[in-house]
Amino acid sequence: MKIKGSRNAKSAAHLAQSGSKACSLLAWNLSSKEDECIPSRLAMVSLVLSKVLISDSLDPCCKQILQTGGIQVLEKPNLSKEQLLAEITDCDGLIVRSATKVTADIINAAEKLKLIGRAGTGVDNVDVGAATRKGVLVMNTPTGNSLSAAELTCGMIMSLARQIPQAAASMKEGKWDRKKFMGMELNGKTLGILGLGRIGKEVATRMQSFGMKTIGFDPIITPKESAAFGVQQLPLEQIWPLCDFITVHTPLLSVSPAGLLNDDTFAQCRQGVQVVNCARGGIVDERALLRALQSGQCGGAALDVFTEEPPRDWALVNHPNVISCPHLGASTREAQSRCGQEIALQIVDLAQGKALTGTVNGQALSSAFLPHTKPWIALARALGLLLCTVAKQVNGGVQVTTLGASLQNAGSYLTPAVAMGLLSDAAQKEVNLLNGLMLAKEAGLQVTVTHSSAAPGLGSGEGQLQITAQGTPYKITGSVQGKTPVLQEINGAIFKQPVPLSGSLLIFRSKASNPSVLPTVIGVLGKGNVQLQSYHRSCAVAGEEWNIMGIPSAVQILNELKQHVTEAFQLVL
């Protein structure tokens, strides 16, 4: 993979005219008086949303909030795939619940699509990978249905313990089978909670009021955090034989293909264990569950979700010890109102540049909303663009190094920004903070990051950023002064006065011993009626120096300049 860095006059003029769309964050509208010193396309982040399609039934408040925020809303639930493809062509955003399946072909066919909003927690009905590759932001509402899902889970546990649905059905058949429906008390029983996020925590605190002992497992929540709400964390192999009830609250993506509860893990469980799944179909292996029910290893199951919805095979649903619902976890008026309200408010906040919350694939983009990170993101993108310009080609790897305490955890948002710059002149797709690293990897570039505790150089404020093309002598160093991204060094050649990285820049390398170069270059600019706005020169290294001139726009005289200098480039930021 070769990424050519030198720009001819035609491409530079095009970039000057277009504002380098390829390096936009997400077709963002970027402007702010207080951030004038930051390159305009990274100054203030707000997503340009003119039209949003709601393709599932949502609370009316969702549409009202979006319209109040100045966004046109098209509300068309229950669309077929063909109808969805037709309706989404001129939409910037799509909002769904769980019915609409947002597949890769839908995402790729929606040319204007910038945002997919999921009014709920899980996003398994959205191809997040395809959205990321295209630079489309995916959002959800992680808190909107937590209480409703937790309450349904608790209801399922109580229903299993006392066989309430079976007894109620028997009564409707005119029977009075008191002895048939012998139940158990929850007091003193052990509940295993697999997944201790928002919903798992709510289930734990509610079932503790019944006197249940709560144990659990979560790869992210620390044992200290879970102990604070009464859950003792144990390894999975220790949990299985201890539980009278097991409830799962993990994302489907974190579960192995065999399911978290499968033939092997059922065999490790206590005889007659009761299982609840109100999270996602597939977390529990449905065939293994049916076998465990038939053998008596599993005493009962309560299921709100299935691998296929509605199920194609009803054998599990029809088992007498199974309680089932048609995916009702978020089906309360309160949850639907909260989810509709939350996704609409998140989208309006994003469109107005206020905040980015509920992002599924835009963690790096979230940092673009923080005032102190905006100029660093602008710097990283500019240095990436400068590196592929002066190096002429970048093969294989690019090393990003952050220096200074303030940048210790900055790699997550600076590396995608560097990738934006590296790919700006080579990528066929729009490159942004969402897909920069993915597209760089697909192009054969590996952008890695390290942090150094070494103090940044003088004049570097709190931090310094260096990027190096591995296998080449090219290393570029920059920093932020105030709110201005600046260039400090190219290949060891230090600029005594750091160069502001904004606007149109004319860059050339020349012999340090030739005093006529600068007057000659200024003369060439004068003949082309090009005004010189600023000038910076580096110290000499190996008898050569770097010169950077600020000019109003890209020029058509690059070839003439190359006759008088070692090499020359143009850069539009």
Side-chain angles (χ1 to χ4, degrees), residues 41 140 189 216 271 282 303 342 401 412 442 483:
R41 297 199 66 77
N140 68 350
K189 302 299 188 296
Q271 179 84 16
L303 307 172
E342 285 182 15
T401 304
S412 62
E442 291 177 355
K483 293 184 178 181

Side-chain angles (χ1 to χ4, degrees), residues 116-139:
I116 300 169
R118 164 71 165 96
T121 304
V123 290
D124 46 295
N125 60 319
V126 178
D127 191 328
V128 178
T132 303
R133 181 171 287 101
K134 194 178 178 183
V136 174
L137 180 65
V138 180
M139 306 171 72

